[in-house]
Amino acid sequence: AALPAPNIEAVRAVQRQAMAQGAPGALTLIDDQATYYGVAGGKANTATGARMDTGRRFRIGSVTKTFSTVVLMQLVSEGLVNLDAPANTYLPTPLPSASITVRHLLSHRSGLYDYTNDMFYYTVPGFEAVRNKTFSFQELINKSTAHPLTMTPGSGYSYSNTNFVVIGQIIEHLTGKPVAEQYRQRIFEPLKLTNTSYVHPLTDIAGSASRGYLRPDDTTLPLVDSTEQTVSWAQSAGAIISSAEDLNTFFGALLSGALLPQSALRQMTTMVPVNADGSQSYGLGLRARKLSCGVTVYGHTGTVQGYYTWAFGSADGSRTMTSMANTSNNGTVNTTLGGTLEATFCGTAPT
Ligand SMILES: C[C@@H](NC(=O)[C@@H](C)NC(=O)CCCC[C@H](NC(=O)C[NH3+])C(=O)[O-])C(=O)O
């Protein structure tokens, strides 16, 4: 069924609202079967006054989880991993529970505690304490397993960054190669994502990039420029740098079936509701949202110091959209930015 036309004025209104709520700048790029609509407002750099534009690179946070899932699903398709086998089968150091399967990790059903809850309890001190640090996967996993499991594995949905740090460790343990090489060889190069990179533990964003601004818990204090960091606290759970165009290409290829065998994509898009009315669900490294016009879109959100990202596409990948606001620790801005989904896929204006 044909989608309603994107409502570009509504996208602009959403961005204006997000900026009024504290985002220095915002961008949205829509790829509607190779017709492009770009909207950008505000500042990419508040010190120089450089304006935001849709070509700017930025940190995509948890949208990284979908890239890690694609690599893992390629290993499944190559017969190297069984989704329902215990994760311990593929790990150098066993997790505390042998009943945690690979599928539990990809669907946030493992019960592994999310160490970032402790790490970022105090937003700016927590960030400053790790922004230049490098962690091994095992160090991050040990921070998690210092806490008991939050639930019996498989008994429910509970989002945890730890799950995708373990996925990164499985990828490296199985292939003997760093995740950076896997992302590049299996996704970035084949799809020609020339503005997408995994440079951990380097802290700079090369090329034309937006600065990112972290809002302190004391909102009367000025924003903190959080652009340079290793993102070693997240790695395979959140350290990729990309652009709106590249994320649209990635989700377009994934959802149209050009990136994975159909059977693997079907595993990823087998969703489990995660909220009461079922409008939000999670599959394998993939979120789904049922919009007001009945359209369901698939993608991922991202939150990393200084950047909010929404990257989603229609079920067949024929229309994709990426939105970014260059602030974080400001839930109001993130929720507002999510309004670009309705504007893009339902043509509706913000309420
Ligand atoms: C939710 C999102 N998850 C991610 O993108 C992952 C990588 N990010 C986080 O877990 C947030 C870490 C704290 C950010 C900090 N917040 C604090 O420090 C709060 N005390 C900030 O907002 O920048 C997703 O999957 O959609």
Side-chain angles (χ1 to χ4, degrees), residues 15 41 51 80 183 202 225 261 269-270 289 294 303:
Q15 288 186 5
R51 304 182 59 73
L80 293 172
Y183 293 137
L202 298 180
D225 187 327
T269 56
T270 301
R289 289 175 84 94
T303 301

Side-chain angles (χ1 to χ4, degrees), residues 72 75 80-81 89-90 169-177:
L72 197 285
L75 298 175
L80 293 172
V81 179
T89 315
Y90 310 109
Q169 195 179 55
I170 289 176
I171 290 169
E172 294 202 346
H173 187 61
L174 265 187
T175 63
K177 293 181 184 153

Side-chain angles (χ1 to χ4, degrees), residues 4-86:
N7 182 333
I8 303 310
E9 274 319 303
V11 169
R12 209 179 305 282
V14 165
Q15 288 186 5
R16 273 199 297 267
Q17 198 177 13
M19 288 185 278
Q21 291 163 340
L27 64 84
T28 300
L29 186 66
I30 299 166
D31 177 348
D32 185 20
Q33 293 172 320
T35 301
Y36 296 91
Y37 306 87
V39 182
K43 300 275 187 275
N45 183 328
T46 57
T48 64
R51 304 182 59 73
M52 185 66 82
D53 65 75
T54 57
R56 297 260 181 184
R57 303 181 73 217
F58 53 93
R59 298 186 187 283
I60 69 172
S62 286
V63 182
T64 303
K65 292 178 168 76
T66 312
F67 285 80
S68 299
T69 303
V70 166
V71 172
L72 197 285
M73 293 310 290
Q74 289 178 348
L75 298 175
V76 171
S77 305
E78 292 158 23
L80 293 172
V81 179
N82 174 341
L83 284 179
D84 296 308

